[in-house]
Amino acid sequence: MREIVIVGHGIAGLTAKDTLRRQGFDGHITIIGNDLHPPYSRPALSKAALSPTMDLSDTTLPPSSSLATQISETVVGLNTDSQFVTVASGDQYFYDGLVIANGTHARRFTDHEEEYTLRTRDDAQKLRARLQEQPAIIVVGGGPLGMEIASGATSLGCDVTLVHQGLPMCAQVGPVIAGFLAQKAVENGVKIVDALASSVTRSSAEQFTVELDNGREIYAPVVASAIGDSPNIQWLQDSDLLTDGKLVTDSRGRVTDNIVAAGDIACFNGIRTPIWTSAIEQAKTAAGGLLLGNEAPELSFQSYFWTDQFGVNVKVSGPIPHNGTPHIIEGSLESGSALLHWSESNSAASINYRIPVPRLHKLAKSLAPTA
Ligand SMILES: Cc1cc2nc3c(=O)[nH]c(=O)nc-3n(C[C@H](O)[C@H](O)[C@H](O)COP(=O)(O)OP(=O)(O)OC[C@H]3O[C@@H](n4cnc5c(N)ncnc54)[C@H](O)[C@@H]3O)c2cc1C
């Protein structure tokens, strides 16, 4: 293998490139990406970047020294027989090995410019500029992204309504921490509407109508949709790589013997896990899978997730703690700072607690102390 092409220059693509070099690959690497900004941290976009004082260029990732040819283009097609990808300008890039790491795009209800989504640095720039005008805003979706946008919007002085069916964040952090976060959201002035948004339409020149599944309608001039993402698989539609519309890999990231995938786009070993640390670990594994095949280690890592919202920092190590009451190891929820452990799932979490991530991982795996 002398020529490797990487599609996507987000964290998964960059990690794959660095790992290939670290593992001794001395052939040529071409990395193709269509975001004109230098690579940046996406998690920072919904956190610090919605604050009025942060310079968006502070989200730029440190430069990598591993050698590769960078191409700013959109990949539009793949020919697996002749082993090349085609970019929008018509150029073709031949490969012996291909890494697919071109992420996802935000889902949305309309094409209207006042419906905002947050996936790219340009999205963050536009959303922040609009929120600084302090419009009333409806945030659709109470996952981490929706709650972080709601948090940023309230801190900028907006009147915020958040629409989510059930307890926001429950699917990501379980009911105990989700309850704590919802309380903080309400204390910060967010109106939480427990319903599913069945449609969003620009009903007049000034406002959107958000129709709820309980028959109610709510209105605002601005909507931010945080309703999930869809893999960027358009350019793979004519290839034979998709299974039921999904890019599925084995446990080493392989789609075929010479094509691997990693990050948000991939159903890695059958499961899509669109979080930052997964993208990194999957990319390391996939780079090994491409170079070493069955000799490469399979994906094995402790899942980790964090969020910052309403002045609260939450870190979770291990499976999402849905059930069981956590044992509070240190601190308390009342004081707003706590270290928690779920023995049922071997998960640990911290709330506003200065704990290094490796220690949190260790804690998650340890047996819960008896209450
Ligand atoms: C606002 C926001 C906040 C987040 N916060 C957190 C968090 O707190 N914690 C957490 O764990 N995760 C968080 N995530 C998720 C995390 O950022 C992603 O899991 C991670 O960035 C995925 O990396 P990736 O490299 O797979 O994809 P991406 O980062 O999407 O990179 C894909 C790259 O491919 C490029 N590309 C796309 N299509 C093409 C094409 N056809 N041709 C060429 N290039 C293409 C794109 O421009 C992009 O640069 C957040 C995501 C967002 C959007």
Side-chain angles (χ1 to χ4, degrees), residues 7-13 32-35 42-43 45-47 73-76 101-104 118-119 145 148 232 235 262-265 274-277 279 304-307:
V7 180
H9 61 339
I11 193 65
I32 310 174
N34 65 359
D35 192 322
R42 260 178 231 290
L45 296 178
S46 51
K47 302 174 180 68
E73 278 271 16
T74 299
V75 174
V76 293
N102 63 307
T104 61
L118 182 48
R119 181 82 207 165
L145 186 54
E148 288 174 0
N232 292 324
W235 63 286
D264 286 6
I265 193 171
I275 57 176
W276 187 258
T277 48
Y304 171 70
F305 161 82
W306 81 101
T307 180

Side-chain angles (χ1 to χ4, degrees), residues 166-179:
L167 187 59
M169 291 294 298
C170 197
Q172 289 78 25
V173 294
V176 173
I177 299 178

Side-chain angles (χ1 to χ4, degrees), residues 8 18 39 41 51 55 69 75 78 89 96 99-100 199 218 224 227-228 244 292 332 338:
D18 291 344
S41 160
S51 105
D55 180 349
T69 303
V75 174
L78 170 66
S89 65
D96 303 315
V99 179
I100 300 177
S199 73
I218 52 176
I227 51 171
D244 296 332
L292 304 171
S332 67

